[in-house]
Amino acid sequence: MYGEVEEELNREWRNRWRASTKGRTTFSFIPDAAGGRRLVSTEMPYVVARLVTGHGMLRAKMFEMGLATDPYCACGDPETAEHIIMECDLYNDLRCIMWRRVGFPFCLAGDVFPLLLENASAAYLAFREFAQAAFERRMTSVVGR
């Protein structure tokens, strides 16, 4: 009986997650609520939470709230969570380290979360280290601006 109840709750959670208009940055990385639970620890460090939610003092979000003069990353593109995690050349080295820690002998770009979900425990640790290093690098570059 417990398994049936849990399955029904997960189904309802998935339906609400897909239909919601909130949390779309997180949804872009983790479209499957149950899959996200496998990837993201319940004790999520703030740097991971800030990147995955898009609320991490990123310039695009700060500009949207009137707290920054422009929305741009140091590379010149809008600084969003997606940009830092998947696209920005300033973080390629950190992305490569993350992929090697997960077991890929090469660097990947683009939508990385489905691949991370396949190797959840190692992937989460690697992503957490990426997020911490990216946040520290970003804060260093913001201070210099």
Side-chain angles (χ1 to χ4, degrees), residues 9-88:
L9 288 172
N10 278 329
R11 188 178 3 260
E12 179 65 25
W13 185 18
R14 282 187 185 103
N15 291 339
R16 287 183 181 192
W17 182 233
R18 287 183 191 124
S20 178
T21 58
K22 298 183 183 255
R24 297 299 84 185
T25 297
T26 306
F27 184 85
S28 72
F29 297 125
I30 307 172
D32 177 51
R37 281 184 68 195
R38 288 193 315 271
L39 176 64
V40 179
S41 164
T42 56
E43 297 178 16
M44 183 187 306
Y46 76 96
V47 293
V48 172
R50 286 178 169 201
L51 267 183
V52 173
T53 62
H55 291 282
M57 293 178 49
L58 302 172
R59 291 195 65 81
K61 187 66 166 180
M62 292 174 62
F63 181 73
E64 183 183 302
M65 297 184 320
L67 300 173
T69 56
D70 65 72
Y72 301 108
C73 174
C75 75
D77 290 333
E79 186 182 62
T80 63
E82 294 91 341
H83 173 70
I84 289 175
I85 294 170
M86 297 186 274
E87 303 164 356
C88 186

Side-chain angles (χ1 to χ4, degrees), residues 97-136:
I97 291 168
M98 176 179 68
W99 283 117
R100 281 194 297 276
R101 288 193 175 136
V102 175
F104 287 87
F106 47 86
C107 296
L108 301 173
D111 188 3
V112 298
F113 277 84
L115 291 170
L116 290 176
L117 286 172
E118 292 176 12
N119 190 0
S121 60
Y124 177 72
L125 293 175
F127 180 72
R128 187 175 68 190
E129 291 171 9
F130 167 84
Q132 181 66 46
F135 183 76
E136 289 170 6

